[in-house]
Amino acid sequence: MSAWRQRAIGHLAVTIVVAHLAAMIWKIDEWPLSNYSMFSSLMKGEVRRQMVYGVTVGGGERMLRADAYFAPLGVSKLSHCLNVANRADEKLKKRDRATTDERLPKVARSLLDLYDDRREKGLHHGPELIGLRLYEVRWRIDPKLANLDHPEHRKLVAEYVVDQP
Protein backbone atom coordinates (compact mmCIF):
# COMPACT_ATOMS: atom_id res chain seq x y z
CA MET A 1 0.00 0.00 0.00
CA SER A 2 1.38 3.39 -0.93
CA ALA A 3 2.28 6.00 1.70
CA TRP A 4 -0.37 8.39 0.31
CA ARG A 5 -3.10 5.77 0.75
CA GLN A 6 -1.95 4.99 4.32
CA ARG A 7 -2.08 8.70 5.24
CA ALA A 8 -5.55 9.08 3.67
CA ILE A 9 -6.91 6.10 5.62
CA GLY A 10 -5.31 7.40 8.83
CA HIS A 11 -6.85 10.86 8.33
CA LEU A 12 -10.25 9.29 7.65
CA ALA A 13 -10.06 7.19 10.83
CA VAL A 14 -9.06 10.22 12.94
CA THR A 15 -11.86 12.31 11.37
CA ILE A 16 -14.47 9.66 12.22
CA VAL A 17 -13.26 9.35 15.84
CA VAL A 18 -13.20 13.15 16.31
CA ALA A 19 -16.67 13.51 14.78
CA HIS A 20 -18.07 10.85 17.14
CA LEU A 21 -16.43 12.51 20.16
CA ALA A 22 -17.81 15.92 19.14
CA ALA A 23 -21.30 14.44 18.68
CA MET A 24 -21.14 12.88 22.15
CA ILE A 25 -19.86 16.06 23.83
CA TRP A 26 -22.38 18.42 22.22
CA LYS A 27 -25.18 15.81 22.20
CA ILE A 28 -25.73 16.01 18.47
CA ASP A 29 -28.39 13.44 17.64
CA GLU A 30 -27.70 12.95 13.93
CA TRP A 31 -27.08 9.50 12.54
CA PRO A 32 -24.46 7.97 12.29
CA LEU A 33 -22.91 10.23 14.93
CA SER A 34 -25.84 9.82 17.29
CA ASN A 35 -25.75 9.37 21.03
CA TYR A 36 -29.17 7.70 20.68
CA SER A 37 -30.81 9.83 23.36
CA MET A 38 -34.08 7.94 23.01
CA PHE A 39 -32.40 4.90 24.57
CA SER A 40 -29.93 6.61 26.90
CA SER A 41 -32.24 7.93 29.61
CA LEU A 42 -34.87 6.59 31.97
CA MET A 43 -38.52 7.14 31.15
CA LYS A 44 -40.78 9.03 33.51
CA GLY A 45 -43.13 6.99 35.65
CA GLU A 46 -46.17 8.08 33.67
CA VAL A 47 -47.32 8.35 30.08
CA ARG A 48 -49.49 11.13 28.61
CA ARG A 49 -51.31 10.77 25.31
CA GLN A 50 -54.05 12.41 23.33
CA MET A 51 -56.73 9.76 22.87
CA VAL A 52 -59.96 9.61 20.91
CA TYR A 53 -63.12 8.33 22.59
CA GLY A 54 -66.25 7.50 20.66
CA VAL A 55 -69.66 8.58 21.93
CA THR A 56 -72.09 5.71 21.38
CA VAL A 57 -75.79 6.01 20.58
CA GLY A 58 -76.67 5.35 24.23
CA GLY A 59 -74.38 8.18 25.38
CA GLY A 60 -71.55 5.98 26.67
CA GLU A 61 -67.90 6.41 25.77
CA ARG A 62 -65.44 3.95 24.31
CA MET A 63 -61.69 4.44 23.82
CA LEU A 64 -60.88 3.94 20.13
CA ARG A 65 -57.50 2.19 20.01
CA ALA A 66 -57.67 0.09 16.82
CA ASP A 67 -55.50 1.39 13.96
CA ALA A 68 -58.21 0.42 11.45
CA TYR A 69 -60.55 3.11 12.77
CA PHE A 70 -58.41 6.01 11.52
CA ALA A 71 -56.13 4.45 8.89
CA PRO A 72 -53.80 5.49 7.39
CA LEU A 73 -52.96 7.47 10.55
CA GLY A 74 -53.16 4.75 13.19
CA VAL A 75 -53.55 5.44 16.89
CA SER A 76 -49.97 6.45 17.74
CA LYS A 77 -49.62 8.87 14.82
CA LEU A 78 -53.06 10.28 15.52
CA SER A 79 -52.14 10.81 19.18
CA HIS A 80 -49.00 12.68 18.16
CA CYS A 81 -50.92 14.86 15.66
CA LEU A 82 -53.57 15.70 18.26
CA ASN A 83 -50.87 16.58 20.76
CA VAL A 84 -49.25 18.98 18.29
CA ALA A 85 -52.62 20.54 17.41
CA ASN A 86 -53.52 20.92 21.07
CA ARG A 87 -50.22 22.66 21.88
CA ALA A 88 -50.67 24.97 18.89
CA ASP A 89 -54.18 25.86 20.05
CA GLU A 90 -52.94 26.57 23.57
CA LYS A 91 -50.31 28.96 22.18
CA LEU A 92 -52.95 30.74 20.10
CA LYS A 93 -55.30 30.98 23.09
CA LYS A 94 -52.54 32.76 25.00
CA ARG A 95 -52.47 35.32 22.19
CA ASP A 96 -56.26 35.87 22.60
CA ARG A 97 -57.34 34.62 19.21
CA ALA A 98 -61.03 33.73 19.13
CA THR A 99 -60.79 31.14 16.33
CA THR A 100 -58.84 28.60 18.38
CA ASP A 101 -61.88 27.23 20.22
CA GLU A 102 -63.29 25.93 16.95
CA ARG A 103 -60.23 24.12 15.52
CA LEU A 104 -60.15 20.96 17.65
CA PRO A 105 -63.92 20.33 17.42
CA LYS A 106 -63.48 20.51 13.63
CA VAL A 107 -60.70 17.94 13.93
CA ALA A 108 -63.05 15.72 15.96
CA ARG A 109 -65.76 16.13 13.31
CA SER A 110 -63.32 15.17 10.52
CA LEU A 111 -62.18 12.14 12.48
CA LEU A 112 -65.79 11.08 13.02
CA ASP A 113 -66.41 11.42 9.26
CA LEU A 114 -63.32 9.28 8.56
CA TYR A 115 -64.44 6.70 11.15
CA ASP A 116 -67.97 6.51 9.70
CA ASP A 117 -66.71 6.33 6.11
CA ARG A 118 -64.36 3.45 6.91
CA ARG A 119 -67.13 1.71 8.89
CA GLU A 120 -69.60 1.97 5.98
CA LYS A 121 -67.00 0.50 3.62
CA GLY A 122 -66.52 -2.46 5.97
CA LEU A 123 -62.89 -1.59 6.79
CA HIS A 124 -63.55 -1.96 10.51
CA HIS A 125 -66.31 -3.27 12.73
CA GLY A 126 -66.39 -0.55 15.37
CA PRO A 127 -69.62 0.55 17.05
CA GLU A 128 -71.97 3.15 15.57
CA LEU A 129 -71.00 6.54 16.97
CA ILE A 130 -72.81 9.86 17.34
CA GLY A 131 -69.73 11.82 18.33
CA LEU A 132 -66.08 11.91 19.32
CA ARG A 133 -64.33 13.33 22.35
CA LEU A 134 -60.63 14.13 22.41
CA TYR A 135 -59.00 13.64 25.79
CA GLU A 136 -55.55 14.08 27.21
CA VAL A 137 -55.08 10.93 29.28
CA ARG A 138 -52.41 9.91 31.77
CA TRP A 139 -51.34 6.49 33.03
CA ARG A 140 -48.72 5.29 35.47
CA ILE A 141 -46.46 2.86 33.68
CA ASP A 142 -47.50 -0.72 34.38
CA PRO A 143 -45.16 -3.35 32.88
CA LYS A 144 -48.09 -5.76 32.37
CA LEU A 145 -50.32 -3.06 30.78
CA ALA A 146 -53.12 -4.03 33.16
CA ASN A 147 -54.32 -0.40 33.32
CA LEU A 148 -54.27 0.27 29.57
CA ASP A 149 -58.04 0.63 29.26
CA HIS A 150 -58.35 2.66 32.46
CA PRO A 151 -56.21 5.80 32.53
CA GLU A 152 -55.77 7.45 35.90
CA HIS A 153 -56.61 10.92 34.62
CA ARG A 154 -58.65 12.26 31.68
CA LYS A 155 -58.97 15.88 30.64
CA LEU A 156 -61.46 16.78 27.92
CA VAL A 157 -59.74 18.73 25.15
CA ALA A 158 -62.50 18.91 22.53
CA GLU A 159 -65.67 17.18 21.45
CA TYR A 160 -68.04 16.91 18.55
CA VAL A 161 -71.43 15.26 19.00
CA VAL A 162 -74.02 15.06 16.22
CA ASP A 163 -77.35 16.70 17.05
CA GLN A 164 -79.95 13.95 17.24
CA PRO A 165 -83.59 14.55 16.26
Side-chain angles (χ1 to χ4, degrees):
M1 186 183 303
S2 69
W4 178 87
R5 187 176 281 180
Q6 287 178 345
R7 280 193 304 271
I9 292 172
H11 287 292
L12 179 64
V14 169
T15 302
I16 290 172
V17 169
V18 169
H20 277 284
L21 288 174
M24 287 175 16
I25 291 169
W26 287 294
K27 296 186 183 332
I28 299 170
D29 204 9
E30 295 294 328
W31 185 90
L33 308 176
S34 178
N35 66 355
Y36 301 100
S37 59
M38 180 171 70
F39 302 110
S40 64
S41 62
L42 293 175
M43 289 184 64
K44 295 179 182 176
E46 68 179 24
V47 176
R48 291 177 186 255
R49 293 283 183 268
Q50 302 288 328
M51 295 298 294
V52 178
Y53 282 71
V55 180
T56 60
V57 176
E61 289 184 339
R62 179 177 171 186
M63 185 187 296
L64 302 175
R65 291 188 300 132
D67 286 340
Y69 294 153
F70 304 108
L73 285 176
V75 176
S76 61
K77 289 179 187 173
L78 179 60
S79 177
H80 175 72
C81 292
L82 292 172
N83 189 29
V84 170
N86 190 24
R87 279 188 277 142
D89 270 5
E90 287 175 1
K91 285 181 182 179
L92 289 173
K93 284 179 186 177
K94 289 179 183 178
R95 295 182 193 161
D96 295 327
R97 299 225 178 131
T99 60
T100 59
D101 290 339
E102 297 178 13
R103 181 182 297 161
L104 284 173
K106 286 180 181 177
V107 169
R109 180 180 182 172
S110 296
L111 288 172
L112 181 60
D113 291 343
L114 175 63
Y115 176 92
D116 286 340
D117 184 51
R118 293 183 56 76
R119 186 173 179 272
E120 287 173 9
K121 292 178 180 175
L123 298 173
H124 70 78
H125 301 291
E128 183 178 345
L129 300 177
I130 59 167
L132 287 182
R133 292 187 178 129
L134 309 177
Y135 284 98
E136 178 181 287
V137 295
R138 185 179 66 217
W139 297 271
R140 264 194 232 133
I141 294 177
D142 180 4
K144 296 180 181 179
L145 298 177
N147 61 347
L148 186 61
D149 291 327
H150 307 288
E152 295 175 9
H153 176 74
R154 288 193 317 173
K155 176 184 165 191
L156 182 64
V157 176
E159 74 176 332
Y160 173 77
V161 179
V162 177
D163 293 328
Q164 291 186 322

